[in-house]
Structure formats: structure tokens, C-alpha cells
Amino acid sequence: MLDTKDFSFFETQNNFDFKAFFTKILGHWSWFLISLIIAFTIAYQINVRKQKIYGVSTTIAYKEENNPFFTANTSLVFNWGGTSDQVQTLMTTIKSRSHNEMVVRNLNYYVEYLRQGKYNLEDAYGEVPFYVNIDKNLPQLTEQLINIKFITPNEYEISIKFEESSVALLNYTTEVASKTNVPVGEFKKRYKIGEQVSLPFLHWKLELTNNPGIYEGSSHLVRFANFNQTVKDFMGIEIETDAKGGAILILNLQGTNKARMVDYLNGTIKTLINRQLRDKNQFATNTIRFIDSTLVSMEGQLKNTEDELKNFSKDKNIFEVEMGGAKITEKVSDLDLEKDLIERKIAYYNTLKAYLINSVDYSKLPAPSVAGIEDPNIVLNVSKLTTLSAERSEMSYAVKNDKKFKDFDSQMDALRNVLLENISSAKGAIQYDLNTVNKKIALAENSIRKLPEQQQELVKINRKYDLNKNVYNSFLEKRSEADIVRAANLSDIQFIDPAKDTGGGLLGPKTNINYILALFLGLLIPLIMVFSVTILDSTIKNTDDITKMTKIPILGVVGKKTSKNNLAVFEKPKSALAESFRAVRSSLQFLYKKQQAGAKTLMLTSSISGEGKTFCSINIATIFALSEKKTVIVGLDLRKPKIFQDFHVENTVGVVNYLIGQKTLEEITYKTLVPFLDFIPSGPVPPNPGELIQGESMKEMIDELKLKYDYIILDTPPVGLVSDAMELTPYCDATLYVVRQNVTRKEMLSLVNNKHKRGELSNISIVFNGFENKAKYGYNYGYGYGYGYGNYSNGYHEVEKSTNFIARLLKKIFNR
């Protein structure tokens, strides 16, 4: 039946002991020291191996530049769109893959110039005395180091180590990858500087820089990098807007080589300026292209009319012929020119309408001015549509945002519909002008019919000639205007502060941060380890753990055994360990004073094996014997006997033989090396040890021993494993329960605590065994003779010298 005392665990409240935890941290100082050494070593190795990182920047501005030659007569409109939209598009373009691919190709940045540093390969761009001009139409060896050694001022040697029979090639223009066979081993070949190298895997010319310096005998490395990876690296360029001006952009680039970054930043802006200016001139270029194609056909027509006029003038007095129709010819020519202009306008409107209906790319539309159209609505809307179409075409390489494309498409559709309405209205108005001109021409032609036949023929020829000539001159004038506009155009992107190596810009490696991180991790990792050990370790560490788990009194604290066998007190009677057992003896004698005179029986037990029960039994018995008290140790661990080994006797005869009536007490008792101390082994292991201990023979043996000895020490089995020790409590005057530091688990104390509360173990005390004065156990000085007096204990007992150099050094420091 359960007893309410069995629920004693409710009386114990487990709180985390921060003080003990902090003490343990101090006790494991070696863990922290080792962890810090490792962490700082790693940080140092990272710092010395990591290449220096620099930062280079450039500043540009976006400002819409109006063409200074733009007038109402030219009607070539190029600038349209909000500044904020243009700046955002500019930022997107700079980080786009297509733009960076163009810059990498222009600068040949897939060619790496390297040198072997102390720990790794370093970028030597701008420092080598040469450069290579590759044949961009042929493939090159990729991802393979090419060693360049200058043999003489005019000759160099190429050496490549081929580890496989085939190598990868790449055409950096078409980005077509291929492979070719090579001889395994080291390939070497010499060439003249400037000589064309034509190998299956290499096509270049090596040229010297403007100021190569002394380069004879020097060695350098060249490598053709992965093109896509190179582009990806430069796509990481950082762009930020100036807080004071939204149209001002600051471009930042980080890397290990400042010269390469300076050239790249300036190169990317120059490429951007050229592309932007090309797009800006697209309208003028389209116009010039249209005019050029028209002039070609006009030249033929003009030449034909000139030839016709010459043929007509032969053998005739041209002045007499012209006398009658000169005024009519001039008038008709003016009307013909006016009609041609109107028809060209109508033709442009028809072409534009068909283009808007059937096409989706409006970037190649010519300016309306080529047809003499000056309607501001049509001119502006055509310009807008051309600009939007060009921008959308550029964005297809830079932006993958469907919403952005839909916005452009919506704007272009709206402009297209507006233009179709404008064309319809304009054609209606211009058709009226055409009808009026046709009527005037008809009246003039009636007048011409009244002239003589030769004059009519001359007027006809002159009309055709004057028309072709005037139209041709008009187109030449328009082309000249378009050329002027295109030449005078300025890019909207301007350099404010080009990239330049000013000698600074070092960003890393940030050694201080690495060392701070090493300090943090060096402290955190062992701290976590100590915390984990503290949480997971449920063994007894100090006397505070015992007092929290049970109210059984602590009789004494015994230090850790340092001798090879269990006879520690006998071998070193003046040691601190011996004094701790003397303290236990004094406490036991105090308990015995409360009892009647006569022999005293003491039982030692524990929770499990390995807690030092036998060690304490032997040394407590030794202490009593050294005080000239007749003492006997009885080995009653009949299941797993081992105490006989310490006294160097055979375990063939012992307690078991007495209990079954085979031997007398004298026959099983052995003398030991310790005066006044006898020993009775347990004997052979019986099949029924529990029944033997419960028999009457056990009582008879104890009674007989009391007649012969002053102190009887019973070494019993662990009470937490078997019940043998419980059967011996009626014969004992006192019970010592051995608890060992770092071995006995806290839950084991609950077992003996319950037995004590139920009265199954009476007059019981605890001996704390194996105690070490180390902070890592969360316990300091205070228990055990010689464990709490510091320098005042010197001279009273032997002090063992520590074999640990660090421990001896610390002891000297603290004892000063």
C-alpha cells in the first residue's frame, strides 16, 4: 500500500541555480581558453588570406537636353517622357544583363590577367606589361590558366598544363561552346610579340602596353573566364539616388582591383551614353533614311526631264518659243509644286495609316516634316510613338516585368488610336485643298491649249522639270535639316564625377569585425556547452544538491581518491583524505554516545555500484583500527563481492560458509596489514543470498562479532539495486549512505529518502564521496577537514603536489 511519504518529490522545487552555473563557467575556464584560441586563429587565417576589397564610385546626372537647332520648321521632335520615368529606366538598364554583356564585350573583361599571391590568385589588371587582342570570331580556351613568360624583350613563351585530353572552348561573340583535343601534359611554345597565335584552342596577338617597364624574365597568368559569370559579377553594381537631386545617380562598384573597376564604371556610362544618343537620334535617322531613298528615285526623274528639255531645244530658238508661255509656265509650275506637296501629304497619311494598322514596331517611322506636314498634333504623336516603341524594344533585354510592358502597350495603343483620328481629320481638310489646286491647274491648262503647239510642248517639259527640281531641292533641304539636328543632339546622361583611383577606397576585409565575431563565438560555444552539460547532467555536484533532495544529515565529506588501491588512509595517514575520514569517525562517535556501551555496528550502502561504498568501508575501518580499536570489516555483498581484492586474500571461504554451517567464525576471519583490523570476506557466491542474510545464522554471527570487536563495519550491496541491505538494518547501530560526486543521480536520493521517511532505514547519515574543490561543480570550499582553511592547514597534513602545470601556477598566484 502506498504511503503519503512516497510522494515526497512534491516537496522539492527544482530551480535553476544561476550562482552555481556561473561558478561552473569559471571552473571550465580551459574550455573558453581553447575555444577563444581556435576562434581567433580562424579569424586571423581568414584575415590574412582574404584579398583587400576596394570601392570605386562615379556620379552621373540625367537632364533632358533640347536640341539647339530645333525649330518649328524642322518639326523633328526627339525628347518626350517624364524625368522620373527616364531615371528609373536608366537604373534598370545599368543593372540589366544585355547592357553589362555589351560592356564586358567592349572592354574584353572576360580576359583575366592574374598573378600568384601568397595564398591565392590575384587580379593583376592594369599592372601587367601586356595585353592580348583576341580574334573574336574564333573560340578560345576557357577556365584554364595560361602562363606567359617573357624570354627576351621580343619573345615570350606560352605554357599550359593539360590534365585531360579534351578542353572546353568558347566563342565570346556568339557564345557557342565547343571542345577540342589536346595532348595531356604541359604544352609549351614560343612566339614573337605581336605575332598571331593560331592554335586549335587559342587565337590572339600579344601586344605590349605603352609603358611596359622592365618585363624580360617576368611571368604572368592569363585566363579566359566564364562569360556569363563575369557578366553576373558586374551586374551587382550598386546604384543610389542623391537625396538632394532625384536625377543624380551614384554608381558604386566593389572588387579587388581598382583599375578594373574604374575602367568598368567609365565604360558602362560611355556605353550607356552612346546607346541613349543612338535611341535619341532614331527619329532623325529614320527621316534621313527615307529622304535618301526618295532622292535616289528623284535624281533619275530629274535627269530624264533635263535630257528631254535638251532634246527639245535643239535646232530651235528657245527664247522665241518661251516668249508666249513664260508667265503661264511659271504659274502652272507653282500650282504643280503645291499639288505635289498635297499629294505627298496624302501619301504619307495613307502610308502612316497602313503602318499603324498592320505593324507593331513604330521605331522606324520617318518624321512627318519630310512630307511637309506641320500639324503639331500629328508631329508630336508620331514622335511619342517612335520614342515609346524604341524604349520598349530596349526594355525587352533589360526588364522582365509584364506590367511594365503592358503599360507601354497601353500608351502606344492610345497614341495609335489618336493618330488614326488625326489622320482622318487631316485628310478631310487636305482633300479640299487638293480639289482647289486641281481646279486652278485646269484653268491654267485651258490657257496653255490656246498657245502654239511648240509652246505647249515646252510648257509641258518645263512643268515636269521645274516640279522635279523643286521637289529634289526640297528633299535636300529636309535632309540637311535632319543632319544638323542629329549632329547637334546631346545625350541626356552626363558625367558629373567620372570614376578615378584617388588612392583610397579600402573597404575590407574588416578585420576588427572578424575578431569581434571570433570573440563572440569563442565565448558563446563553450557557454552553450557548459549550459548543455548543466541541463543534461542530473548527477550530484555538491552538498547543496543533497540538502535540496533530502533531509538526511550529511555526516562528512570525503575527497577524491588519488592512490591506486583503496587503502588510502593506511598508506598516507597524514593526508587530507585521511583527515576527512577522521572527521567522519568523530561524527560517528558523537552518534554512538547517545547509545548504550558495547560494540558498535556500522553498515555502509549506496544507490548503485561505483559510488565508493567499499572504499569508504575500508578507510573508516582503518581509521577506527589506527585508534587501537578492534575492528572488523565484513563483506556482505554476497552477489558481487570484490572487497577481498584490496586485502589480497582468496574469496574461497567467508560469510557464506559460516551461514550454511561449514566454517566457524575463526576459520573465516583474516588478519590484515593494519593493526587491530580484521577482515571477513563474503565467500563464494550463493544461489540464494537474500535468504541467507534473513536466516538466524546472520544474527548469531553479528552477536558473536560483538563479543570480540569494538567496531563492526558491514560492506553491503547497493540498496537501490537489491534488498539485502534492508534485511541487515536491525543489526546495525548506524547506517552510512554513500553519495559520490558526478556519479550518484539526484533521482536516486528520492529512493533512499522515501525509505528513510517510512522508517525502513533508521539512524542513517550521508557520506559525500569523491569530492573535488573545483568550480566547475558549482561548489567551493567549506566541508571536510583540511578543505576549508587555506594556508592555515599547512603543516597539519601532507599536501599532494598537482601534476597539472596550470593548476600549480594558479595556486601559486592565488596563495601569494
Side-chain angles (χ1 to χ4, degrees):
M1 186 174 181
L2 292 176
D3 195 309
T4 55
K5 296 178 181 179
D6 293 336
F7 299 94
S8 60
F9 58 87
F10 288 113
E11 301 174 10
T12 304
Q13 184 177 2
N14 293 321
N15 295 322
F16 187 79
D17 192 343
F18 287 98
K19 181 179 180 181
F21 178 65
F22 182 72
T23 309
K24 287 184 180 181
I25 291 175
L26 296 178
H28 289 86
W29 61 269
S30 58
W31 290 13
F32 288 86
L33 179 61
I34 294 171
S35 178
L36 286 171
I37 291 174
I38 294 174
F40 276 101
T41 301
I42 294 174
Y44 172 77
Q45 293 298 328
I46 291 174
N47 288 338
V48 298
R49 281 173 166 77
K50 198 171 183 180
Q51 296 188 55
K52 293 182 178 180
I53 303 298
Y54 297 93
V56 179
S57 64
T58 183
T59 306
I60 61 173
Y62 180 86
K63 180 182 178 182
E64 290 189 352
E65 294 288 349
N66 292 320
N67 198 307
F69 287 93
F70 172 73
T71 63
N73 293 328
T74 60
S75 300
L76 293 174
V77 181
F78 303 96
N79 303 309
W80 178 80
T83 300
S84 60
D85 291 339
Q86 294 297 335
V87 170
Q88 186 61 43
T89 302
L90 183 64
M91 295 172 64
T92 305
T93 302
I94 292 174
K95 296 179 71 70
S96 69
R97 171 168 289 279
S98 61
H99 172 75
N100 285 279
E101 285 180 351
M102 189 182 302
V103 179
V104 168
R105 283 196 178 96
N106 291 342
L107 298 176
N108 292 336
Y109 264 27
Y110 45 81
V111 181
E112 296 181 331
Y113 301 94
L114 308 168
R115 64 166 172 263
Q116 182 62 55
K118 185 176 181 180
Y119 298 105
N120 43 38
L121 290 175
E122 299 175 355
D123 189 353
Y125 176 87
E127 301 174 14
V128 294
F130 67 95
Y131 62 92
V132 293
N133 282 327
I134 70 169
D135 189 339
K136 296 185 178 181
N137 297 319
L138 296 173
Q140 309 291 341
L141 178 68
T142 62
E143 301 295 328
Q144 181 82 40
L145 287 175
I146 304 171
N147 186 277
I148 305 295
K149 184 176 182 180
F150 289 94
I151 307 301
T152 67
N154 297 317
E155 188 179 25
Y156 68 97
E157 181 183 70
I158 295 176
S159 62
I160 308 172
K161 292 183 179 179
F162 293 117
E163 297 180 357
E164 298 181 1
S165 58
S166 66
V167 291
L169 305 178
L170 179 66
N171 186 313
Y172 284 91
T173 300
T174 62
E175 295 186 42
V176 175
S178 59
K179 286 190 174 182
T180 187
N181 295 327
V182 293
V184 177
E186 186 173 14
F187 172 86
K188 287 186 178 182
K189 196 167 184 180
R190 294 187 179 186
Y191 290 92
K192 297 289 184 180
I193 293 175
E195 180 183 355
Q196 178 66 46
V197 175
S198 296
L199 296 170
F201 48 84
L202 200 61
H203 305 87
W204 76 24
K205 282 185 181 180
L206 188 144
E207 306 283 353
L208 294 177
T209 58
N210 293 331
N211 186 18
I214 301 174
Y215 58 90
E216 185 178 356
S218 62
S219 294
H220 309 272
L221 296 172
V222 174
R223 180 173 59 191
F224 291 93
N226 181 285
F227 180 76
N228 290 327
Q229 185 60 46
T230 303
V231 173
K232 184 178 179 181
D233 292 341
F234 285 107
M235 286 174 63
I237 188 172
E238 297 179 358
I239 307 174
E240 56 185 82
T241 56
D242 194 307
K244 298 180 180 179
I248 297 177
L249 300 180
I250 301 172
L251 280 62
N252 299 299
L253 195 60
Q254 297 181 8
T256 59
N257 188 291
K258 289 192 287 184
R260 182 182 289 274
M261 292 186 293
V262 166
D263 288 350
Y264 192 85
L265 283 177
N266 292 331
T268 194
I269 300 304
K270 289 177 182 178
T271 301
L272 199 64
I273 289 173
N274 293 334
R275 290 181 64 183
Q276 198 266 345
L277 192 57
R278 181 195 64 199
D279 295 340
K280 195 172 184 180
N281 285 331
Q282 184 65 49
F283 204 22
T285 302
N286 294 344
T287 302
I288 293 171
R289 187 184 301 114
F290 176 81
I291 291 174
D292 286 343
S293 62
T294 305
L295 286 175
V296 171
S297 61
M298 291 298 300
E299 284 179 356
Q301 295 178 19
L302 185 60
K303 186 177 184 304
N304 291 335
T305 54
E306 285 180 349
D307 293 341
E308 189 177 352
L309 184 61
K310 288 179 180 179
N311 293 331
F312 179 81
S313 301
K314 287 181 180 180
D315 303 326
K316 294 183 180 70
N317 188 345
I318 195 66
F319 294 106
E320 291 181 358
V321 177
E322 286 180 347
M323 287 292 292
K327 292 183 178 180
I328 298 175
T329 301
E330 183 178 355
K331 182 178 179 181
V332 173
S333 295
D334 291 340
L335 291 173
D336 285 340
L337 186 61
E338 185 178 352
K339 180 181 179 181
D340 180 75
L341 180 60
I342 294 173
E343 288 178 343
R344 278 194 288 120
K345 289 181 180 180
I346 294 174
Y348 181 86
Y349 285 140
N350 292 334
T351 303
L352 180 60
K353 182 178 180 180
Y355 203 94
L356 293 175
I357 293 174
N358 300 323
S359 180
V360 292
D361 182 11
Y362 311 114
S363 61
K364 297 181 180 181
L365 285 175
S369 61
V370 298
I373 298 173
E374 296 179 359
D375 187 336
N377 292 326
I378 294 178
V379 171
L380 183 61
N381 288 333
V382 169
S383 173
K384 289 180 180 180
L385 194 60
T386 303
T387 305
L388 281 175
S389 184
E391 287 184 7
R392 191 189 187 285
S393 179
E394 287 290 335
M395 288 180 62
S396 64
Y397 298 99
V399 180
K400 302 302 179 184
N401 190 337
D402 291 338
K403 184 179 181 302
K404 194 75 173 176
F405 287 127
K406 288 179 180 178
D407 291 343
F408 268 80
D409 291 339
S410 298
Q411 293 181 52
M412 287 192 293
D413 285 341
L415 281 173
R416 186 175 68 89
N417 293 331
V418 170
L419 266 175
L420 289 173
E421 291 292 333
N422 292 337
I423 291 170
S424 179
S425 300
K427 283 181 66 176
I430 205 170
Q431 189 65 43
Y432 175 79
D433 295 337
L434 180 62
N435 294 334
T436 302
V437 171
N438 284 334
K439 289 179 180 179
K440 292 179 179 180
I441 292 175
L443 293 175
E445 286 178 345
N446 288 332
S447 301
I448 293 173
R449 292 191 188 99
K450 298 176 181 180
L451 296 174
E453 185 177 349
Q454 286 189 349
Q455 288 183 344
Q456 291 184 30
E457 185 68 21
L458 180 61
V459 169
K460 181 179 178 182
I461 295 172
N462 281 333
R463 284 180 65 185
K464 188 186 300 184
Y465 176 78
D466 290 342
L467 177 62
N468 290 335
K469 182 179 179 181
N470 289 331
V471 171
Y472 186 81
N473 291 335
S474 175
F475 273 103
L476 283 178
E477 183 181 352
K478 294 293 183 182
R479 192 189 191 288
S480 178
E481 290 176 357
D483 276 333
I484 292 172
V485 169
R486 185 171 65 174
N489 255 335
L490 299 175
S491 174
D492 296 336
I493 303 168
Q494 300 176 0
F495 268 116
I496 293 180
D497 192 8
K500 184 179 180 181
D501 180 9
T502 58
L506 181 63
L507 300 179
K510 298 180 179 179
T511 56
N512 293 336
I513 293 179
N514 289 339
Y515 286 130
I516 291 173
L517 184 61
L519 176 63
F520 175 75
L521 293 177
L523 294 175
L524 180 63
I525 293 174
L527 183 65
I528 293 174
M529 293 173 62
V530 172
F531 181 77
S532 301
V533 169
T534 303
I535 295 298
L536 298 176
D537 190 0
S538 63
T539 59
I540 300 297
K541 299 297 181 184
N542 50 53
T543 55
D544 290 340
D545 292 341
I546 298 175
T547 56
K548 288 178 182 178
M549 298 297 299
T550 180
K551 293 183 179 179
I552 299 174
I554 300 175
L555 190 68
V557 177
V558 177
K560 187 176 181 179
K561 181 184 72 172
T562 58
S563 58
K564 293 182 179 181
N565 55 42
N566 287 331
L567 295 171
V569 172
F570 179 71
E571 291 181 353
K572 295 182 179 180
K574 292 185 178 182
S575 66
L577 185 62
E579 293 301 329
S580 66
F581 278 109
R582 288 188 178 94
V584 172
R585 180 189 64 185
S586 300
S587 299
L588 285 171
Q589 289 176 343
F590 175 76
L591 292 176
Y592 291 149
K593 286 181 181 180
K594 299 179 181 180
Q595 301 177 10
Q596 60 183 2
K600 305 298 185 290
T601 305
L602 177 64
M603 180 179 73
L604 281 88
T605 187
S606 63
S607 300
I608 57 175
S609 179
E611 292 175 315
K613 168 178 56 63
T614 299
F615 169 70
C616 292
S617 299
I618 292 174
N619 288 285
I620 289 174
T622 301
I623 284 295
F624 281 120
L626 290 177
S627 60
E628 298 184 354
K629 301 292 184 180
K630 294 185 65 177
T631 308
V632 64
I633 301 176
V634 183
L636 289 178
D637 191 349
L638 306 183
R639 301 173 186 268
K640 194 177 179 181
K642 58 182 178 179
I643 192 172
F644 64 91
Q645 299 172 355
D646 295 291
F647 294 103
H648 305 289
V649 299
E650 297 292 334
N651 195 39
T652 55
V653 177
V655 174
V656 174
N657 301 93
Y658 177 87
L659 294 179
I660 63 177
Q662 290 182 348
K663 300 290 182 179
T664 62
L665 192 61
E666 289 77 9
E667 291 176 327
I668 62 172
T669 303
Y670 295 87
K671 295 292 182 181
T672 66
L673 296 175
V674 183
F676 299 99
L677 178 62
D678 292 341
F679 168 63
I680 300 176
S682 60
V685 179
N688 55 346
E691 287 73 10
L692 287 178
I693 291 176
Q694 294 178 18
E696 289 295 326
S697 299
M698 177 59 71
K699 183 178 182 303
E700 294 175 0
M701 185 182 74
I702 298 297
D703 291 341
E704 192 174 348
L705 289 173
K706 287 183 177 182
L707 296 176
K708 296 179 63 176
Y709 296 96
D710 296 318
Y711 291 95
I712 303 167
I713 310 299
L714 304 182
D715 180 46
T716 65
V719 70
L721 299 179
V722 294
S723 62
D724 297 0
M726 302 299 300
E727 306 297 336
L728 295 172
T729 53
Y731 310 120
C732 301
D733 299 311
T735 300
L736 291 183
Y737 185 81
V738 180
V739 174
R740 186 172 179 179
Q741 187 182 49
N742 296 320
V743 176
T744 305
R745 295 189 175 275
K746 294 178 181 179
E747 57 268 21
M748 293 294 182
L749 287 179
S750 299
L751 175 65
V752 68
N753 195 38
N754 292 335
K755 293 182 181 296
H756 171 63
K757 289 186 176 183
R758 291 199 298 263
E760 297 177 15
L761 290 173
S762 58
N763 200 20
I764 184 173
S765 300
I766 292 176
V767 173
F768 190 28
N769 181 37
F771 175 74
E772 285 187 278
N773 281 331
K774 291 186 177 181
K776 64 181 179 181
Y777 300 130
Y779 181 77
N780 288 314
Y781 307 91
Y783 289 93
Y785 186 85
Y787 277 79
Y789 299 99
N791 290 333
Y792 296 101
S793 65
N794 291 341
Y796 287 92
H797 55 76
E798 296 177 355
V799 180
E800 297 181 8
K801 294 182 179 181
S802 174
T803 57
N804 191 313
F805 171 76
I806 297 178
R808 284 187 278 123
L809 180 62
L810 292 175
K811 185 175 181 180
K812 287 182 180 180
I813 294 174
F814 289 115
N815 287 341
R816 286 180 179 177

